[in-house]
Amino acid sequence: VFAGVMARGGFDVVVGNPPWIAHAGRAAQPLPPAIKQHHVARYPAFAGYPTTHGLFVSLAPALLRAGGRTGLVVPSSMAELAGYAPTRRAHDRLAAFPGPLIDLGEGRFPGVTQPCLALVSERRSGGRACADHGAAWPITRPDLDDVGQALIARLAALAPLFAELFGERVLQSDPALREHFTASPAPLGRITVPL
């Protein structure tokens, strides 16, 4: 459809707010096995934490001409979580940042409670040169004053807390488990305490 654009090297700009859909983890949306296998085989960004927005992040720079720009709104967690490293790597091999990314924070858009950032990058030969491809992305927090920035830097320099201190301490239910709780006349299996 865009053969003429691609023949001259690609788009000048790709701008958007891709759908934030996770296909793994607690909030996983189902994906037909054939489509999942296709994405895993074709898109390195689908390794690690497979998400639809990760596919957009890896495809956007591939559609650009040299020097073209990408502007996407994505979850802030994409900038540093280890599961997103394959997505960052796929992006970074083609594009670099003109400066730190802007963390837009939480509640910037109506109905969106997850923190987000503005991914602004440029298609460059060799991609991101200032760091290993897939390393954490540079972020700035314009909502913080100098005291807040200094506090964040001080906390980041501290030794990390033990992983055992974190985790889900409650029971999460899904429709099948809810049916088990409500339809069973008595506790079954490993669930021995009635609710």
Side-chain angles (χ1 to χ4, degrees), residues 20-175:
W20 297 7
I21 303 171
H23 302 291
R26 181 176 48 188
Q29 296 299 309
L31 195 61
I35 293 175
K36 186 172 185 174
Q37 289 171 355
H38 169 80
H39 290 342
V40 167
R42 185 161 181 195
Y43 304 108
F46 212 68
Y49 188 52
T51 64
T52 299
H53 49 281
L55 293 177
F56 278 75
V57 167
S58 67
L59 287 171
L63 297 173
L64 296 172
R65 64 165 176 77
R69 297 282 179 119
T70 296
L72 300 173
V73 177
V74 296
S76 295
S77 56
M78 186 172 277
E80 61 187 0
L81 285 182
Y84 280 116
T87 299
R88 290 191 302 271
R89 193 173 303 111
H91 171 273
D92 293 353
R93 70 180 179 81
L94 297 175
F97 308 112
L101 303 176
I102 298 172
D103 189 331
L104 301 171
E106 191 175 318
R108 181 62 65 110
F109 302 102
V112 178
T113 58
Q114 186 174 353
C116 59
L117 64 84
L119 171 61
V120 177
S121 61
E122 178 182 0
R123 174 85 186 246
R124 292 187 189 163
S125 177
R128 186 176 173 205
C130 64
D132 292 335
H133 294 173
W137 290 340
I139 298 178
T140 185
R141 291 280 311 266
D143 59 324
L144 296 177
D145 59 13
D146 290 342
V147 173
Q149 295 283 4
L151 180 58
I152 295 292
R154 187 172 173 194
L155 289 171
L158 296 174
L161 296 173
F162 298 107
E164 294 82 18
L165 295 175
F166 302 92
E168 310 250 356
R169 303 291 182 218
V170 298
L171 178 67
Q172 291 190 9
S173 63
D174 60 18

